[in-house]
Amino acid sequence: NESGSDTELAYFVEVSSRLFDGIEAIATARQTDSDDFGSNTSYRAALIYGLNNGVTLRAMGSSGFRAPSLYERYATSYGNKSLRPEESETQELGVQKIFEGGSNARITLFNSKVDNLIEAPAPNYKYIQTGNTYKSKGVEIEGLWKISDLISVGGNYTHTDAMQGSDVAARVPRNDYSISVAASISPQISSSLTANHIRGYKDTVSGSLVDMPNYTVVNAAANYTFTKGLEGYVRVQDLMDSDYETIKDFNTGGRQIFAGIRATF
């Protein structure tokens, strides 16, 4: 029974330059003009330093903002017309090593913060801004081992410490493990198998944090190339038909099979 509108006009510019031998700088800026929230400028700046031994160093800093959605502002019983935009800052440091033959390894440290956090706490779930800050920091480790031209093994591990105000943030896994195997069975057939294991996951029930069970999900896929630009595919989600939840008391779908034909023109 409520309605509202907002018009935004945004300008975006990106500049990339090689400063010195092996050093590249990338800078972006976005200016957003909103009828309801005025002007906001966000940025992203990155430095990339490539060494001669296949090692690349990266550093990045960025800012951002998110205006409240029309639902958050005008939803009957839950909306709040006085909400202000959320504002964020993110920093990353990383190093990557590329080996002969195409194998690679990468490690990234990240830190992010969101101010003016928009929340909908129990028991009435009305959107408000309590002054809480969302903070997330951690490390991500990735690797790809090319066993041969036909088979490769990839792995990823992310450790995240996320806080919402003074509490641990819900629905953010503390430990996220992933491993995958990709194989080219023939010039026409390629396949992959991926396993994802989640530990240290929490959700909220009536405003209180609850521990969720650890779970593992396995996915598989295969592609067959008929001709250039035409291929068939089969994808199986939750191959082992695991029973798990990402939202308390809302079970996820079991094993699902998708098949089709994809054409590229």
Side-chain angles (χ1 to χ4, degrees):
N1 299 323
E2 295 281 353
S3 65
S5 65
D6 182 31
T7 301
E8 293 184 353
L9 178 63
Y11 307 89
F12 179 85
V13 61
E14 178 176 279
V15 177
S16 176
S17 176
R18 185 170 295 276
L19 302 178
F20 306 101
D21 186 25
I23 300 180
E24 183 178 1
I26 302 173
T28 62
R30 177 187 173 103
Q31 171 75 28
T32 303
D33 297 325
S34 165
D35 284 354
D36 292 346
F37 300 105
S39 297
N40 184 284
T41 302
S42 56
Y43 71 89
R44 182 179 186 274
L47 279 176
I48 303 170
Y49 183 21
L51 305 179
N52 294 329
N53 57 358
V55 175
T56 301
L57 306 177
R58 296 176 292 107
M60 187 275 293
S62 66
S63 70
F65 87 106
R66 185 186 75 85
S69 69
L70 294 179
Y71 183 86
E72 291 168 337
R73 296 170 64 193
Y74 296 105
T76 302
S77 301
Y78 303 108
N80 184 348
K81 299 177 183 178
S82 64
L83 294 175
R84 296 172 291 118
E86 295 178 335
E87 298 180 350
S88 66
E89 292 183 354
T90 300
Q91 301 86 34
E92 288 185 6
L93 289 174
V95 58
Q96 180 178 9
K97 168 69 175 180
I98 298 178
F99 301 92
E100 293 184 6
S103 299
N104 64 77
R106 181 170 67 175
I107 182 170
T108 303
L109 302 175
F110 60 87
N111 179 65
S112 65
K113 181 179 71 170
V114 180
D115 292 318
N116 301 330
L117 193 64
I118 297 174
E119 303 175 80
N124 57 17
Y125 300 103
K126 181 181 178 66
Y127 289 103
I128 59 174
Q129 287 172 306
T130 62
N132 281 341
T133 296
Y134 175 88
K135 295 181 179 179
S136 175
K137 62 181 180 180
V139 58
E140 183 177 36
I141 302 172
E142 300 175 82
L144 177 67
W145 177 28
K146 294 200 68 174
I147 300 176
S148 68
D149 291 338
L150 303 179
I151 302 175
S152 62
V153 177
N156 179 286
Y157 168 67
T158 303
H159 175 83
T160 306
D161 289 320
M163 301 292 294
Q164 186 165 322
S166 58
D167 297 324
V168 175
R171 301 180 185 174
V172 180
R174 185 174 179 84
N175 296 290
D176 186 341
Y177 305 84
S178 179
I179 187 170
S180 63
V181 179
S184 295
I185 301 173
S186 72
Q188 291 81 29
I189 303 175
S190 61
S191 61
S192 64
L193 184 69
T194 302
N196 185 214
H197 181 65
I198 299 297
R199 299 183 66 87
Y201 189 88
K202 297 178 182 293
D203 198 10
T204 56
V205 176
S206 299
S208 299
L209 284 169
V210 295
D211 293 324
M212 302 287 285
N214 303 327
Y215 65 88
T216 301
V217 178
V218 179
N219 301 320
N223 292 347
Y224 183 86
T225 302
F226 296 103
T227 61
K228 183 178 180 180
L230 182 64
E231 66 176 11
Y233 66 88
V234 175
R235 186 175 78 253
V236 183
Q237 292 183 189
D238 196 3
L239 179 66
M240 308 305 295
D241 199 22
S242 300
D243 187 13
Y244 68 99
E245 297 176 354
T246 59
I247 301 175
K248 180 65 175 175
D249 296 329
F250 286 83
N251 198 22
T252 56
R255 183 185 299 113
Q256 302 174 66
I257 303 175
F258 304 85
I261 296 176
R262 182 184 297 111
T264 303
F265 303 94

